[in-house]
Amino acid sequence: MSVDLSTSLGSLHLKAPTLTASGCAAAGRELAQFGDVATLGAVVTKSIMLQPRSGRATPRMAETPSGMLNSIGLQGPGVEAFIEKDLSWLSQNGVTTVVSIAGETTAEFAELAARLSNVPGIAALEVNISCPNVESRGQVFACDPYAAADVIAAVRREWTSDAPVLAKLSPDVTDIVSIAHSVREAGVDGVSMINTLLGMVIDVDRMKPLLGGRTGGLSGPAIRPVAVRAVYQVHAALPDLPILGMGGIRTGHDALEFFAAGASAVSIGTVVFGDPRAPWRVAEELSSELASRGYSAVRDVIGLAHR
Ligand code: RRO
């Protein structure tokens, strides 16, 4: 039985249901040795800032049970080098590209949106309002409905492209539905969820936090039930809001959970570090999972767990 794996996120048609997750495949080029990146739903690039940035102190990664902590701190080349080197490679190779942006202030987000608006080859903009690895928790816009809406409204004003705007949400909130409502009111076309959870590991030989930045973002299978719960809650409250689901997806079976909870597409993140073919493999496995249950299209299972 052949299964139709095409889907969409608002106005963005996706030929495949699996995307990379921001921060887990840089700008896609390294993945090209493992498969045809143009056949993925999309590459979601590492969050880019206006200026180049060296990131946080090392060590920046720690293994945890069924997951890992990262404390990268938005390392990157800055938007101009990104456009010149990364976006041009993605465009030349026919890759559907979702560009993730991050700023320290609302004005920086707005400037990034303005700069990228007329750049060809951007299929969607993911506004990362939820990076856990910033100096101050006050800078995590996604933890406050007003700050989150402020950023999205500013981006919306500057974004002149027809490509959809997604907000990346944090799970580290009391009520993720209120944040989703808020960014929707401010004009997003969809949400990406979830970013990592704030965590910490202590090195008890040194009696100090293991990570150079002290805290880090927890990802991997350990967070999958949190992500599925968050997707389910937001889809229940806002069934028409497209959701790009992510958080610890390792197999097609895991991905199917997210679709049933209400995601329209999924991003594959941490697993890629150990299995770079995972974004393709998960799509193939999802096809088998759907076929064995008698479904002929992934679109038919979106939100089915809500019936
Ligand atoms: O760069 C990072 O440390 C980072 C970011 Br921008 C993010 O959104 N999530 C994360 O776990 N790490």
Side-chain angles (χ1 to χ4, degrees):
M1 181 175 171
S2 88
V3 176
D4 179 358
L5 291 180
S6 67
T7 182
S8 60
L9 283 167
S11 61
L12 175 63
H13 175 78
L14 298 170
K15 54 181 133 12
T18 54
L19 291 69
T20 64
S22 179
C24 298
R29 203 181 305 207
E30 290 87 345
L31 277 193
Q33 58 190 304
F34 302 102
D36 181 359
V37 185
T39 62
L40 294 173
V43 164
V44 185
T45 57
K46 165 80 183 157
S47 298
I48 195 74
M49 300 189 81
L50 281 174
Q51 303 299 332
R53 182 160 159 133
S54 51
R56 274 186 151 182
T58 56
R60 291 176 168 183
M61 302 256 239
E63 274 192 58
T64 61
S66 295
M68 59 171 260
L69 282 181
N70 85 81
S71 172
I72 309 302
L74 284 154
Q75 181 186 343
V79 71
E80 294 307 328
F82 169 77
I83 291 169
E84 200 181 307
K85 298 200 183 105
D86 296 323
L87 255 187
S88 60
W89 182 87
L90 289 158
S91 291
Q92 279 158 21
N93 286 277
V95 181
T96 305
T97 303
V98 177
V99 172
S100 170
I101 58 169
E104 282 180 9
T105 61
T106 298
E108 283 185 18
F109 277 100
E111 202 177 329
L112 281 160
R115 176 67 187 92
L116 290 163
S117 265
N118 300 317
V119 178
I122 302 178
L125 193 67
E126 186 179 82
V127 185
N128 185 1
I129 51 175
S130 52
C131 175
N133 298 324
V134 290
E135 293 298 326
S136 147
R137 289 305 286 168
Q139 280 177 265
V140 184
F141 301 92
C143 294
D144 177 283
Y146 300 104
D150 202 42
V151 171
I152 297 304
V155 165
R156 202 73 261 186
R157 279 194 292 276
E158 299 296 334
W159 185 241
T160 54
S161 156
D162 290 334
V165 173
L166 311 174
K168 178 99 175 244
L169 303 189
S170 170
D172 289 339
V173 291
T174 311
D175 178 19
I176 198 161
V177 171
S178 65
I179 309 287
H181 266 292
S182 190
V183 293
R184 166 145 241 183
E185 286 295 303
V188 291
D189 303 295
V191 289
S192 298
M193 53 197 293
I194 56 176
N195 208 318
T196 51
L197 284 84
L198 193 67
M200 182 185 266
V201 170
I202 305 275
D203 175 349
V204 292
D205 293 323
R206 291 166 50 247
M207 284 296 175
K208 281 188 183 337
L210 190 149
L211 293 170
R214 295 190 295 276
T215 56
L218 180 65
S219 64
I223 73 165
R224 194 168 59 241
V226 176
V228 172
R229 177 271 297 168
V231 169
Y232 185 94
Q233 286 179 322
V234 169
H235 187 71
L238 296 163
D240 299 329
L241 182 67
I243 299 175
L244 173 58
M246 72 211 65
I249 296 173
R250 221 174 12 180
T251 65
H253 190 277
D254 298 341
L256 186 52
E257 276 197 65
F258 280 77
F259 285 99
S264 293
V266 294
S267 274
I268 310 299
T270 303
V271 67
V272 168
F273 296 118
D275 174 11
R277 271 207 54 78
W280 293 277
R281 174 182 54 74
V282 170
E284 286 156 21
E285 290 174 3
L286 178 64
S287 178
S288 308
E289 296 285 352
L290 289 164
S292 69
R293 288 168 177 78
Y295 298 109
S296 58
V298 70
R299 285 189 301 274
D300 294 344
V301 299
I302 297 171
L304 272 194
H306 292 263
R307 282 181 310 171

